[in-house]
Amino acid sequence: MEIENFTVFGGGVLGAQVAWQAAIHGIKTIVYDIDQQAIELCKAKHKSFAKLFKERFSLPEEKLSNAFELLSYTTDLAQAVAQADLTSESIPENIDIKIEFYKKLSPLLPEKTILTTNSSTLLPSMLAPYTGRKEKFLALHFANPVWEANIGEVMGHKDTSPEVFDTVVKFASKIGLVPIPIHKEQPGYVLNSLLIPLLEAAQKLYFGGVSDYKSIDKTWMISTGSKLGPFGIIDLVGMNTVYNIIMLNYKRKGEKALLERAQKIKEQFIDKGKLGVATGQGFYKYPNPEYQDPDFLK
Ligand code: NAD
């Protein structure tokens, strides 16, 4: 099946990037968000991505204007999916919000539509029963920023049809990703199976008063040759998502320390509008974070 009409649900940190990545690769893309203000923010992000692609990747003006022609935005869910061949969902990482969303979405979908979730922590099998089309539901998980960390983790559940899985693998390639097929449902896919324990360990060291966040980042960057340390990564991921992941862990494990850490992140960052790279400040200040300073690792 050829994917011509693509719909992105949620125009936040990741949804805005996913939509841009598809449009820049020639796919007609519509962004749906529940909130008109979020749509305006998403449009503004697309303008800033265009600037980035022009300056950093020397993308010609023609390709940029073509991407804008392919992009549209709506707060009307029925309109968003009327033509959809494939969708990608990047609404908040909260199972109740996602279940409500899929219940609302299901009766509006044309039969052909394949649904993918970009959820970082929920398994496709947890959401599939609410989609009304288990065999056409799976995960296509993007990394942040989509165009640099350009892997596309494709993970089905036991009822996903193999043809649908292959269509999504091909689509991932078409929009400039390196597809990572995942053959068994795995919480955290491949990337987060590696990354979440790292970020968790870094938070424990910092919030437990063992070391400061810059020294923790320096340790990781120097010893592994990485461009980013765990707190640079946390800023990229965004504090809302980090907060939601800690709260999920708290609900699973009931450890008071997790709740305390989530509260610190809320008070010290989220309540102050320091959501990370997206708002210009998290642990570091952007667009020129200190860890990019050549002297940072000296
Ligand atoms: P975000 O909070 O930045 O964006 C969520 C967007 O969804 C907002 O614009 C919000 O207005 C909108 N929204 C809220 N409820 C909605 C609803 N019912 N219908 C439609 N839109 C709704 O979150 P994010 O960081 O972009 O994360 C979104 C998803 O992407 C999560 O599932 C997360 O696990 C996944 N993800 C995030 C990252 C990351 O680095 N941030 C990476 C990979 C995957």
Side-chain angles (χ1 to χ4, degrees):
M1 177 184 176
E2 201 54 41
I3 304 300
E4 288 172 1
N5 293 295
F6 181 50
T7 301
V8 175
F9 304 123
V13 173
L14 249 283
Q17 292 186 20
V18 170
W20 178 255
Q21 181 76 5
I24 212 74
H25 285 85
I27 308 282
K28 197 170 167 206
T29 302
I30 180 160
V31 180
Y32 163 78
D33 202 290
I34 201 166
D35 177 7
Q36 185 58 37
Q37 215 181 335
I39 290 282
E40 296 310 322
L41 272 173
C42 181
K43 286 183 187 168
K45 274 187 208 149
H46 287 163
K47 285 194 185 138
S48 74
F49 297 161
K51 197 163 169 267
L52 176 83
F53 273 62
K54 190 175 168 184
E55 287 167 8
R56 199 183 306 162
F57 309 126
S58 309
L59 210 76
E61 201 62 57
E62 195 190 309
K63 277 214 163 179
L64 293 172
S65 54
N66 189 45
F68 282 112
E69 266 169 40
L70 292 170
L71 278 166
S72 58
Y73 309 83
T74 185
T75 52
D76 180 332
L77 190 54
Q79 190 195 327
V81 294
Q83 309 289 329
D85 297 311
L86 177 70
T87 69
S88 169
E89 170 264 305
S90 282
I91 71 169
E93 192 65 349
N94 173 309
I95 191 160
D96 299 328
I97 295 179
K98 291 207 200 263
I99 287 175
E100 274 318 301
F101 172 76
Y102 282 108
K103 280 189 187 162
K104 202 168 71 176
L105 175 69
S106 165
L108 304 173
L109 292 168
E111 196 178 331
K112 62 175 179 175
T113 311
I114 295 172
L115 305 179
T116 68
T117 178
N118 187 22
S119 172
S120 296
T121 61
L122 305 171
L123 295 172
S125 57
M126 295 173 177
L127 299 171
Y130 308 97
T131 62
R133 52 186 66 214
K134 284 183 184 175
E135 72 296 341
K136 291 198 183 92
F137 181 70
L138 67 167
L140 170 57
H141 185 238
F142 294 79
N144 187 356
V146 166
W147 38 88
E148 276 168 32
N150 64 326
I151 56 165
E153 296 178 292
V154 183
M155 183 168 83
H157 59 100
K158 69 176 182 27
D159 297 319
T160 308
S161 113
E163 293 76 35
V164 166
F165 189 92
D166 289 347
T167 301
V168 173
V169 167
K170 282 192 196 115
F171 175 76
S173 290
K174 192 168 176 185
I175 63 166
L177 305 178
V178 176
I180 310 290
I182 298 178
H183 306 297
K184 277 185 188 175
E185 268 200 333
Q186 162 67 25
Y189 309 82
V190 172
L191 175 62
N192 283 335
S193 295
L194 299 167
L195 196 56
I196 289 179
L198 170 72
L199 301 187
E200 170 77 18
Q203 290 169 39
K204 265 193 190 160
L205 291 172
Y206 171 67
F207 287 108
V210 175
S211 188
D212 62 279
Y213 68 89
K214 287 183 199 170
S215 299
I216 297 168
D217 274 3
K218 283 178 198 176
T219 309
W220 186 257
M221 291 164 77
I222 292 171
S223 56
T224 64
S226 295
K227 286 188 290 186
L228 288 172
F231 292 97
I233 298 174
I234 285 175
D235 280 355
L236 253 185
V237 170
M239 295 299 169
N240 280 327
T241 299
V242 170
Y243 174 85
N244 286 334
I245 291 172
I246 301 172
M247 286 306 285
L248 269 178
N249 261 338
Y250 168 65
K251 279 180 199 153
R252 245 178 242 150
K253 297 181 184 162
E255 285 170 15
K256 208 172 138 229
L258 287 167
L259 182 63
E260 283 168 6
R261 198 196 310 148
Q263 277 163 347
K264 281 184 186 163
I265 288 185
K266 187 171 180 304
E267 281 160 20
Q268 293 173 24
F269 295 94
I270 297 174
D271 290 351
K272 294 181 178 161
K274 297 181 184 175
L275 299 186
V277 179
T279 56
Q281 184 158 8
F283 280 94
Y284 298 93
K285 281 195 180 140
Y286 298 85
N288 299 309
E290 206 180 330
Y291 59 76
Q292 282 176 357
D293 187 323
D295 288 338
F296 186 68
L297 297 183
K298 284 185 184 160

